[in-house]
Amino acid sequence: MADSISDADKIRNKRLAKLGGQAPTPQSSPAGEGSKDDSAASPTAGIAGAQDASSPQEKEQPRPKINISSSPNASTTPPPQQEDTKPKINLSSSPNASAPSQNPFSQLGMKQTNGDAPRINVTPSTGRPITPQKRDRPTSSSGRSSSRTGETVEQWEDRTLGNIFRFTLDQESRQDAHGNRMHYLESTRKELDEQNGTIRLNTGLLDQTILEAASNLKKGMTPLDYLLGCWKRVSRQYKPLRKAGEQDPKFNIIKESRRLCMSYCIFAVTMPDMFGLEPPSTNPLAPHLLVEDPEDERGIDHEFLTEAISRFPEDDTVQDALVGAVEDLSRQLATKTMNSDYKPYVMALRNLIQYPAMVNAIVQSPRFLPPSMPAALISTGTLLGPFFAISPLQGDVTTNYFSSPTTRDKTYILNSQRALRLTLQTHQFDLFQIVNHFIKASKESRDRTLDWFALCVNANHKRRAMQVDQTQVSSDGFMINATVCLDQLCEPFMDASFSKIDRIDVDYLRRSPRVNIKDETKLNADQNASDAFYSKPAEGTSNFISEIFFLTVAAHHYGTEAANSSLSSLEKDLKRMKKHVEEIELDRHKFVNDPMRLRMFEEAVKKYKDKIDTGTSYKYSIEGVLLDDLNQARSMQFMRYVVVWMLRLVSPGHNFPKKPLQLPLPEEQPEVFKCLPEYFLEDIVGNFKFIMRNMPQIITSTQSDEPVMLCITFLRSSEYVKNPYLKSGLVTIMFHGIWPVYNRSKGILGDLLNSLPVATDHLLHALMKFYIEVEVTGAHTQFYDKFNIRYEIFQIIKCIWSNPIYREHLSDEAKVNLDFFVRFVNLLLNDVTFVLDESLTAFVQIHNLQQELKNSGPTMEQNIRSEKEEALSAAQGKAKSYMQLTNETVSMLKLFTDALADSFTMPEIVQRLADMLDYNLDAMVGPKSRDLIVENPQEYGFQPKMLLSEIVDVYLNLRTKENFVFAVARDGRSYKPANFEGATRILQKFALKGPEELAAWKSLGEKFANAKAADDQAEEDLGEIPDEFLDPLMYTMMVDPVILPTSKTSIDRSTIRSHLLSDPNDPFNRSPLKIEDVIPDTDLLSRIQAFKKERKDKALANANIMDETPG
C-alpha cells in the first residue's frame, strides 16, 4: 500500500514546477521489471517525493533501482511509492520511451539529448551542511574545451562536462590537469556499474550528477559556491559556440548544461534543503553580489544576471531571490559607515540595476517604500536609505578625518576637507547613477522613486524647527546626499537660456502633489486663504519636470539649508562651551590641595573638552561637505531657475526673462504666488547668502543677474513678501556681494549694481523703502535687528553712491514723493541721534571707569574691583557695537544732506536735526569733551577728529537753508557760539578742512549768531504769549495750527507731522490718525496772526519813541 505524498513534498513540487520548460522524455520500465512501476525517468523524482512501491523485502534491503526500457512505446503509470533510502537510478537506452507520469522536475524544462548514453537520475538520501570556500582557477587557461583529434562528440561531451562541473566517474582521477579537485560521483558510478551502463558523462546525467556533486562538497563550500564556479566555466564554453547555433551538437550540449547549471543555482538559493542544508538566515546570493573581482568564481557576472532575470516571467522565486539579496545588502549596509568597506554594496546595486526588469522588481519590495516610516528610520528602514546614509558626517567618520581638531593647523584642516570632498563626490556620483536608472527603467519605477524622495522631505519637516531633536529626523549627511542627487536630476532641463522654464507647472501644488505643504508658512497668505486656494484642485496631470522641480526645492529646504542652520547653531554652541571651559578653569586653584575634588574637577573639564572636540570635528566635516564647488555651483544653477520661475509668477504676460520686468509690480498679487511656501524664497536667500559669503569664486558674471533682479524686485515691491527677515536676507545677499574679493574691489555684484538698468532705476528707492519698513519687524529683537539691517543697507548705498545716475534719480524722485523721503529722513535722523548718544555715553563711562581703576584700583577690595572691571568690559563692548553704527549713520547723514537738503529742512524735521547736531557738537568740543578721552580709542573704531569733521560737513551741506540756520539758533539747550569757535580751532590745528571749507564754516557760525540775536529780539518783542497760542507738545508759538479730529486738540501742523512719522496715533487719545485727517484751525490762526501783528506794531512804536528821545 502506497503512502500519500507529504505536505513538504507537495510544496517542493509546486516550487519546482514554477521553473517551467520541457522535461526529458520519461522512460518505461523494461519487460523484466514491468510489474514494478517506477516514477518518471527524471532522477530527481525521488527528491520531489515519488515513492517506490516495491515488495517488503526490497524495502528492508534498499538498493538502487534500475529501469531499462528498450521499447519506445512502453509506458506505465506508477502509483504512489515509498521513498527509497538510497539514490535511485533510472536507465533508459531509448531516448523515445515515454510514460504519462508527471515528474515535478520536468518543470525544469530539461530536454533529453540524442544518443545511446543512458540517462541516470540520482537522489542522495542524506546531505550535510556545507560552508563556502573560494574557488580554484578554471580547468584550462582559456576556460574552453576544444576538440581533440579523432575525438567523438560523446567523448568531447564527457571530457567537457567533467571540466565544467569538475566531477568525474573515474575514482583514480581526483584532480584535473591543472590540479583542480574533481568530485568523484560515487553513487552514479556504482549505479552505472550495476546496470552495465557506459561510464561516460552526458547531459542526460547532468540532472543527477550536479545534485550529487553539489550535495557532497568539501567543508567550507556551499552548493551555490560550487555552482557559480560551474556557471563561470560553462559560460566561457558557451560564448565561442554560440555562433554555430543549434546545428552544432556541441552547442546544444553546452546550452543544456548552462540551463541546468542556472536551474540548480536557483535551487541552491531557494531550496537549500534539496542539498541537505537548513535554510540560511540570510539570502545566499548577497555575499556573492559583493564579490568585485571578475575572475573570482564566487562572484555573480553579467551572464548570470541576464539569464536569471530572463526567468522572471516564468518563475517568481528567481525574482524573489534577487530582490531578497538586495534587501539583505541594504540591511547589512545600514550597519556600516564611510569608515567601513561600503563600496562593494554600492557597486553591487549599480550592477543589478543595469537591468530594467530588476529595477522594476526592486521597487516592488516592501522595503523600498514602507508605509508610515518615521524620519529617523528612513536611512536604515528603506531599501535605498542605507546607500544615502553613507557620508563623512556619520558617527566616527568625522573624528577619523579630524582627530584632535582643536590642535590642528589650518593646512591640515583644509587638506582633510579636500580629501573628504573627493570621497563624497565619488559616492554621490554612484548615488546619482543608481537613482537615474530607477528613474529611467519604467514609469512605475520612476513614480516609486519619486515617492521615496517625497517621503524623505515630507517626513523631515522637523529639521527646520527652532530646536531640532536629531533622534527624530534624518541625518544631515543623508539629506545632503538626497538633495545633491535631486539637483543632478534637474540638470537636463536647466539650460542657460531657461528654454524649459515654462514646463514647470504653476498648478502643480494644486494637483495632489507629492510634496506636503499644508503646514508650511506661505509667502503672503494666512492659513485660511491658503487652505481656500488649495481646496480647489487643478485639472490635468503633472509632468516629470514639475515633479522633480518641486521635490528639489523642498529637499534644499530640509537638506542643505537645514544643514547650514545646523552649522550656525553648532558654531554658537561651541563658542558657548569654550567660554564655559575657560570659566571653569579659573576655579582650578580651589582644588589644588584636594586630590579627590581635583580629580572630579579634571573629569568634568575633560568631559566638556571631549564634547568640544566632537563638535569641532563635526563642524569641520560639515564645512567640508558644504564647501563643495561642484555641488554648490549646481545648486546655484538650480536656484537661478527658481528665481526666474518666481519672477515669471509675479509678472504674468511679460514673458520674463525674454522681456524685462516692469517695476514696481502690479498692486494685485497673483494668488498662486501668495500661497507658495515661504521656503521657496528662503532657500534662494540661504543658498546665495552662503555662496556669496563663503565661496564667491564660483559665481561668474553671467550668473549674477537673476539674484540681483530678485533682490530689487521684492524690495521695491516689498508688500509681496510679508516676512521682513526674508526681505532682509535679500539685502544681505547684495551686502555680501559687494565685499572686496580677489582683484574685484566692489566684489561680485558691485559692477552689476552700477550698470544693470533695473538696479540704477530702482535699487536706491528699494533700499530706502526697506530702511523705513524695518523699523518694525514684529520680533522681540526688532530694535537691535533694524540697526544690523540698516548697516548693510548703508554699505550698499556707499557702493553705488559714486554713480551720478543714482543721485539724479534720487533728486528727481524727492521732488514728487516728498512724504516718502520725509519718513526716510526722520528715521535716519532717529538712528543718528540714538547711536551717537549711546556711543558717546559709553565713552564717558569707559573714561570714568579707567580713571577710577587707574587711581584707586590697587587699594580697592577685590569684589569691588571685579565689579568695576565687569562694568568696564560691558561699556567697551557697547562702545564697539555702537561706534561702528555711528560711523556709518553719520556718513549716510552726510551723503543724504548733500543730496536731499530740502527734505532735511522740512518743518517737521529741521528743528530735530538742528538740536541733534548742536548736542553732539557740544559733546565733541564743549567743556565735557575731555570725558571722551579713553585708552586705545582705535579699538572701538572711535576717531573723534573724523567724526567731528563729518558733523561739520552736515552743517555745511545745509548752510544755505534759512530755516535750518534759525533752527540751530533756536536750540536753547545746546547751541553755544563758543562750540563753533572751538570746532574751528580743531579743524585748523589738524588740517581737517581746506581753506574754503574753513571760511564757509566761520561764515556759518556768524549766521547762527546773527539769527540767534534776531530770534531773541523777536521773542522779546512778543513778550508773554497766551497759552492758547502755544503748541501743546513743543510749547512754541504755533505757525500753522490744525485741529485733531478725535481729541479736538489744536496743535501745530509741523509738530503733528513729526509725531506721525514715528507714531500713527493721536498723541492725546491714542486713536489712529493720518495727516490727511487734520482740520486747519483758521480761527486760531487768525488770532495768532493778529496777536503777532499787535505785538510787532507795539514793538515798532516803542522803537520809534526811543529813537526820538533826546540823547
Side-chain angles (χ1 to χ4, degrees), residues 958-959 961-969 1004 1007-1008 1011:
L958 303 174
R959 65 184 182 272
K961 303 299 179 181
E962 184 177 354
N963 58 343
F964 172 70
V965 173
F966 275 98
V968 171
L1004 183 59
K1007 278 187 176 182
F1008 291 147

Side-chain angles (χ1 to χ4, degrees), residues 27 41 43 66-69 89-95 112-121 154 157 169 188 191-193 195-206 208-209:
Q27 312 284 325
I66 304 174
N67 294 345
I68 303 176
S69 171
I89 302 179
N90 295 343
L91 269 70
S92 171
S93 59
S94 171
Q112 177 68 41
T113 57
N114 296 328
D116 297 328
R119 174 168 180 177
I120 301 176
N121 295 341
E154 289 77 10
E157 180 181 29
L169 295 173
T188 304
E191 300 288 343
L192 289 173
D193 286 342
Q195 301 302 320
N196 296 319
T198 304
I199 309 304
R200 182 182 299 154
L201 297 171
N202 58 66
T203 53
L205 295 175
L206 276 184
Q208 302 90 320
T209 54

Side-chain angles (χ1 to χ4, degrees), residues 1029-1073:
F1029 297 163
L1030 294 176
D1031 183 279
L1033 294 182
M1034 304 302 294
Y1035 293 98
T1036 57
M1037 181 180 287
M1038 289 183 278
V1039 176
D1040 182 11
V1042 295
I1043 301 173
L1044 304 185
T1046 56
S1047 66
K1048 305 302 181 182
T1049 303
S1050 291
I1051 191 171
D1052 194 78
R1053 186 184 296 272
S1054 64
T1055 302
I1056 193 60
R1057 283 179 68 96
S1058 179
H1059 169 81
L1060 292 176
L1061 289 174
S1062 55
D1063 185 351
N1065 299 307
D1066 187 318
F1068 301 101
N1069 64 5
R1070 307 303 302 160
S1071 61
L1073 177 65

Side-chain angles (χ1 to χ4, degrees), residues 68-317:
I68 303 176
S69 171
S70 58
S71 171
N73 299 319
S75 65
T76 61
T77 304
Q81 300 174 355
Q82 293 291 336
E83 184 176 355
D84 289 339
T85 58
K86 284 193 65 179
K88 175 179 175 183
I89 302 179
N90 295 343
L91 269 70
S92 171
S93 59
S94 171
N96 299 320
S98 63
S101 62
Q102 181 65 39
N103 175 8
F105 272 75
S106 67
Q107 298 303 316
L108 287 171
M110 305 173 188
K111 295 181 180 179
Q112 177 68 41
T113 57
N114 296 328
D116 297 328
R119 174 168 180 177
I120 301 176
N121 295 341
V122 180
T123 303
S125 59
T126 61
R128 61 177 181 268
I130 309 295
T131 54
Q133 178 174 317
K134 186 173 181 179
R135 292 245 134 356
D136 296 324
R137 301 289 294 174
T139 57
S140 68
S141 58
S142 65
R144 302 170 186 172
S145 181
S146 57
S147 299
R148 298 175 180 174
T149 304
E151 187 177 47
T152 65
V153 171
E154 289 77 10
Q155 292 171 332
W156 179 89
E157 180 181 29
D158 174 60
R159 178 171 57 83
T160 300
L161 294 180
N163 287 338
I164 289 172
F165 293 97
R166 287 184 180 165
F167 47 45
T168 180
L169 295 173
D170 183 359
Q171 186 174 4
E172 302 300 324
S173 178
R174 295 300 183 93
Q175 287 186 337
D176 64 11
H178 299 279
N180 297 307
R181 179 178 179 272
M182 303 291 282
H183 301 277
Y184 174 56
L185 303 174
E186 181 179 0
S187 296
T188 304
R189 175 60 185 265
K190 186 175 181 180
E191 300 288 343
L192 289 173
D193 286 342
E194 290 177 359
Q195 301 302 320
N196 296 319
T198 304
I199 309 304
R200 182 182 299 154
L201 297 171
N202 58 66
T203 53
L205 295 175
L206 276 184
D207 195 11
Q208 302 90 320
T209 54
I210 291 175
L211 183 61
E212 181 180 348
S215 301
N216 297 279
L217 297 169
K218 64 181 181 180
K219 186 177 181 180
M221 179 178 288
T222 66
L224 187 58
D225 287 337
Y226 163 70
L227 291 165
L228 286 175
C230 298
W231 172 263
K232 291 282 183 70
R233 292 187 289 274
V234 76
S235 294
R236 285 193 286 268
Q237 293 283 348
Y238 181 76
K239 291 177 183 177
L241 293 173
R242 186 165 43 190
K243 293 181 180 179
E246 296 184 0
Q247 302 302 318
D248 186 345
K250 294 179 181 179
F251 172 74
N252 292 324
I253 292 169
I254 295 300
K255 181 180 178 182
E256 178 66 8
S257 302
R258 185 172 181 267
R259 187 188 64 78
L260 280 173
C261 184
M262 171 57 68
S263 297
Y264 274 92
C265 284
I266 295 170
F267 289 153
V269 176
T270 60
M271 300 175 62
D273 55 332
M274 177 184 290
F275 305 94
L277 300 178
E278 293 295 327
S281 59
T282 59
N283 189 290
L285 276 175
H288 297 279
L289 290 169
L290 296 176
V291 178
E292 296 182 271
D293 183 2
E295 298 299 322
D296 193 326
E297 292 188 350
R298 295 180 302 114
I300 292 178
D301 58 12
H302 169 70
E303 288 78 11
F304 181 94
L305 291 174
T306 302
E307 178 65 22
I309 291 170
S310 70
R311 299 191 180 198
F312 278 9
E314 63 190 47
D315 184 6
D316 54 8
T317 62

Side-chain angles (χ1 to χ4, degrees), residues 826-893:
N826 176 68
L827 292 174
L828 177 59
L829 187 57
N830 288 347
D831 288 352
V832 174
T833 303
F834 176 78
V835 297
L836 262 173
D837 185 59
E838 290 293 315
S839 299
L840 298 183
T841 301
F843 286 122
V844 172
Q845 292 175 344
I846 293 170
H847 170 82
N848 293 335
L849 288 168
Q850 286 179 341
Q851 291 300 314
E852 191 173 357
L853 287 169
K854 182 178 180 181
N855 297 330
S856 306
T859 60
M860 283 184 183
E861 294 182 8
Q862 181 60 39
N863 60 337
I864 296 177
R865 181 178 177 83
S866 296
E867 290 177 4
K868 298 290 184 183
E869 289 174 344
E870 288 179 6
L872 176 61
S873 177
Q876 289 173 331
K878 179 180 177 182
K880 286 181 181 178
S881 299
Y882 282 113
M883 199 62 230
Q884 187 178 25
L885 289 170
T886 297
N887 292 333
E888 296 303 327
T889 51
V890 172
S891 177
M892 284 298 102
L893 184 65

